[in-house]
Amino acid sequence: MPEKDRYKYSNREMMAIAAAREVKNGDIVFCGTGISMLAAMAAKNINAPLSTIFFETGAIDAKLEELPLAVADSRVMYKTAVNGGLAEAFATMQNRFTGSRVVGILGAAQIDIYGNLNSTAIGDYRQPDVRFSGSGGACDVASFVNRTIIFMQHEKRKFVKKLDYFTSPGWIDGPAGRKKAGLPPGGPAAVITNLGVMRFDRNSKRMYLAATYPGITSAEIQAETGFDLDSERAEEFTPPTAHELRILRERCDPQGLILKTPS
Amino acid sequence: MNSRDDKVTTLDRAINLLVPDGCHLSIGGFTINRNPMAAVYEVIRQRKKELHLYAHSNGQGVDELIGGGCVKRLEIAYAGSGRFAPTCIRFRKAVENGTLEVEDYSNFQMTLRFMAGAMGVPFLPTRSGLGTDIIKKWGFSEDLRTADEKLPDRKLAIIDNPFGNWSETPKLVLVPAINPDVTIIHVQQADKRGNARIQGLTFADVEQAKAARHLIITCEELVEEEFMRQEPDRNQISFLNVDAVIHIPWGAYPTACYRHYDYDPDHLNRYRAAAADEFRYRTYLEEKVFNLKDHREFIAQTNSEQLKKLIADPETGYAKALKRSGE
């Protein structure tokens, strides 16, 4: 390993960088609270300076001098192109001219093999064992935009055969799923976890293992996944570079608000 | 709506008059920003019961109303306070204990529902949610919906596009209008007739305000009408919709008010800790709500050094370099 690459990084840093690398110049990046915001900031500062950070609250092209702790944080309002409201923000994603350029970054409590998400409840919906926040804008984003990137903690109880509650649409039940439901084209592109990166097969739309982080085997990932995960195509993930880590730590989250606090 | 020239009143009177037990209430703001907290505490202090509450993504205000025992039913998209409580704690406990009935929608669906109410149409269409449990699973039963004349008989409806495949859209979700009995929002500036100006993101406050039968506005600054009319392009709500105006500096505290003050990370962290424990939460309610006369007393009691740290920097609109890490 070359000298410059010899350093330590946390799982969370790896995840933020993995997601940042998915963002391209020209993308409009929808992000939520926490690590997804950090990933969007990292992309903008490292590999996609011409991407636009966009919040469901109505902030377009937020400058983010400081890391917001909620999508309604006053920090998202500073020097935007436009400060609007929810109605315009979601309309921008439902509008096919602009919506097709949006990359949504989402997280969830459960995911299935087609990238459908649960962020509402575990157990019976009306009498849940565990209740979460609910959709927020996640269902809207997942319904409308061209591409989503999903953050997950990789655990068997979270990668499930059947969701307890289906909050946000992925590929639904296969290649024809979204069309049958009446949804626009597009869907999940990548799932980024603390163990590796998953993608979706072009034909079947089923999740497969695309990359393992250094030191993690595909067998270990399968053991934490509640459905069969094809690992034929798995490669080893290129770890974050010193440059990526420096920007992430010093520019994006110098107070360690996301990188150093438990989720 | 009323046509008085001077709608300035006290919060005590406005809540007493316009928020009866069992009414359908909507509050503005989003997670930890510009929640009408002074009004929320006054609703709790007056021990209002059985409220039917509407919000889109609301954190602190919704959680305190639930924790204060005021809410029977909730229609919402997201109950969270950002990093301070990714799922609101009293909300979560109430749902898991079966003491709160919830109907889930998405943020855009809730926004459209308020917009429909504001526009005077029974529903608006969207493509959001097709194929999901937001369509299939209802929190309120059909019986409850049929029995309660203030609720639509259906959570929502799916239709085939009546214009064929126009806009390449075969199907649509119709979400029903909301017309709350009363909406409460907190704004940066208002005059005594009720013309109001929100700075920064408006969230869905304007739709929520215009959908309501009655509107209570709390404001950081009560300004002359002439001042509001010098730059009317910056005003979002006119006097036509407004019933009561109450001047309450720090009226959104402990949530943020852009260009005035930041959220209080210390208070929100302490709230989270108290909310997780029944005994501590009772104590919190007694000390911070019931035993205090009003919001002014709550603010006066809050550490003035800490409040100073929260005052917004004039350039950015928030408190720069505020210590925000958890306890």
Side-chain angles (χ1 to χ4, degrees), chain B residues 116 120-124 175-178:
Chain B
V121 293
F123 55 80
L124 279 172
V175 291
I178 297 173

Side-chain angles (χ1 to χ4, degrees), chain B residues 238-267:
Chain B
S238 81
F239 65 91
L240 292 175
N241 296 92
V242 182
D243 290 89
V245 177
I246 302 108
H247 180 216
I248 312 176
W250 296 89
Y253 177 88
T255 72
C257 187
Y258 179 63
R259 298 219 164 276
H260 287 259
Y261 46 89
D262 224 316
Y263 47 81
D264 185 346
D266 292 357
H267 185 94

Side-chain angles (χ1 to χ4, degrees), chain A residues 12 33-35 56-59 64-79 82-88 90-91 94 96 120 125-137 139-141 143-144 163-169 172 179-185 255 257-258 261-263, chain B residues 30-33 56-57 76-84 86-87 91-92 95-96 102-109 111 115 125-134 137-142 155 170-171 199-204 207 256-258 261-263 315-326:
Chain A
R12 200 170 289 192
T33 307
I35 192 167
E56 67 191 279
T57 45
L64 302 188
E65 292 290 321
E66 288 189 13
L67 187 73
L69 292 183
V71 295
D73 194 314
S74 299
R75 286 158 188 77
V76 309
M77 305 180 195
Y78 178 59
K79 285 205 175 167
V82 171
N83 275 337
L86 273 68
E88 302 97 296
F90 288 111
Q94 189 170 237
R96 294 311 292 160
T120 304
Y125 171 56
R126 284 197 191 163
Q127 291 181 310
D129 300 325
V130 184
R131 171 69 209 210
F132 300 107
S133 59
S135 159
C139 170
D140 305 310
V141 175
S143 294
F144 299 150
L163 303 174
D164 287 30
Y165 184 98
F166 183 160
T167 313
S168 305
I172 303 202
K179 198 168 182 197
K180 265 189 307 190
L183 289 171
Q255 287 182 286
L257 294 171
I258 305 297
T261 47
S263 53
Chain B
F30 195 110
T31 57
I32 50 171
N33 210 319
H56 39 88
S57 280
I76 199 163
Y78 180 90
S81 292
R83 294 288 293 174
F84 294 97
T87 302
F91 158 80
R92 177 179 183 158
V95 180
E96 291 172 7
V102 184
E103 195 68 279
D104 277 275
Y105 291 89
S106 72
N107 265 349
F108 192 42
Q109 289 169 345
T111 304
M115 191 185 279
T126 174
R127 304 184 76 175
S128 178
L130 289 163
T132 72
D133 281 347
I134 291 180
K137 293 190 180 172
W138 295 13
F140 304 162
S141 67
E142 268 177 87
K155 177 183 180 183
K171 285 182 199 172
Q199 292 176 297
L201 299 169
T202 52
F203 309 130
E207 291 83 358
C257 187
Y258 179 63
Y261 46 89
D262 224 316
Y263 47 81
E315 198 219 328
T316 59
Y318 55 83
K320 275 166 86 172
L322 176 67
K323 185 178 171 294
R324 293 182 291 148
S325 45

Side-chain angles (χ1 to χ4, degrees), chain A residues 3 11 35 45 52 54 67 70 87 102 108 171 182 196 221 244 256 259:
Chain A
E3 182 61 37
N11 271 332
I35 192 167
N45 283 287
T52 300
F54 174 90
L67 187 73
V102 177
W171 297 107
I221 293 180
E244 286 172 321
L259 292 173

Side-chain angles (χ1 to χ4, degrees), chain A:
Chain A
M1 188 180 278
E3 182 61 37
K4 70 176 171 59
D5 289 337
R6 211 171 285 154
Y7 40 77
K8 287 203 169 90
Y9 46 83
S10 67
N11 271 332
R12 200 170 289 192
E13 288 170 335
M14 174 96 88
M15 291 169 76
I17 294 300
R21 288 177 186 169
E22 300 285 322
V23 177
K24 299 173 187 68
N25 275 330
D27 285 348
I28 302 168
V29 186
F30 167 96
C31 50
T33 307
I35 192 167
S36 76
M37 214 179 275
L38 199 53
M41 283 175 81
K44 177 108 185 150
N45 283 287
I46 299 168
N47 51 295
L50 300 180
S51 58
T52 300
I53 298 179
F54 174 90
F55 292 98
E56 67 191 279
T57 45
I60 298 175
D61 203 18
K63 289 295 173 227
L64 302 188
E65 292 290 321
E66 288 189 13
L67 187 73
L69 292 183
V71 295
D73 194 314
S74 299
R75 286 158 188 77
V76 309
M77 305 180 195
Y78 178 59
K79 285 205 175 167
T80 58
V82 171
N83 275 337
L86 273 68
E88 302 97 296
F90 288 111
T92 300
M93 292 188 269
Q94 189 170 237
N95 172 332
R96 294 311 292 160
F97 301 126
T98 39
S100 61
R101 292 165 54 198
V102 177
V103 179
I105 311 183
L106 303 172
Q110 288 182 327
I111 187 168
D112 70 14
I113 198 166
Y114 293 107
N116 305 308
L117 304 176
N118 172 12
S119 54
T120 304
I122 301 291
D124 179 68
Y125 171 56
R126 284 197 191 163
Q127 291 181 310
D129 300 325
V130 184
R131 171 69 209 210
F132 300 107
S133 59
S135 159
C139 170
D140 305 310
V141 175
S143 294
F144 299 150
V145 309
N146 198 43
R147 198 151 56 94
T148 54
I149 298 162
I150 301 156
F151 275 117
M152 294 292 299
Q153 280 297 310
H154 214 130
E155 296 170 31
K156 203 164 189 167
R157 65 191 177 113
K158 298 187 172 198
F159 281 70
V160 295
K161 284 206 173 81
K162 186 169 175 10
L163 303 174
D164 287 30
Y165 184 98
F166 183 160
T167 313
S168 305
W171 297 107
I172 303 202
D173 59 0
R178 290 181 67 96
K179 198 168 182 197
K180 265 189 307 190
L183 289 171
V191 181
I192 291 165
T193 78
N194 48 315
L195 300 178
V197 176
M198 274 51 59
R199 295 187 189 280
F200 295 86
D201 184 81
R202 185 175 307 202
N203 299 312
S204 72
K205 300 298 182 193
R206 291 163 79 89
M207 194 190 298
Y208 69 90
L209 182 60
T212 55
Y213 294 151
I216 306 284
T217 67
S218 46
E220 285 172 291
I221 293 180
Q222 179 61 69
E224 292 292 350
T225 307
F227 46 80
D228 288 339
L229 197 58
D230 170 17
S231 60
E232 292 283 303
R233 288 163 271 186
E235 295 172 352
E236 185 169 290
F237 186 79
T238 309
T241 66
H243 171 68
E244 286 172 321
L245 284 174
R246 195 178 64 246
I247 300 216
L248 184 66
R249 290 169 187 169
E250 294 173 15
R251 170 70 187 82
C252 303
D253 188 12
Q255 287 182 286
L257 294 171
I258 305 297
L259 292 173
K260 288 184 187 153
T261 47
S263 53

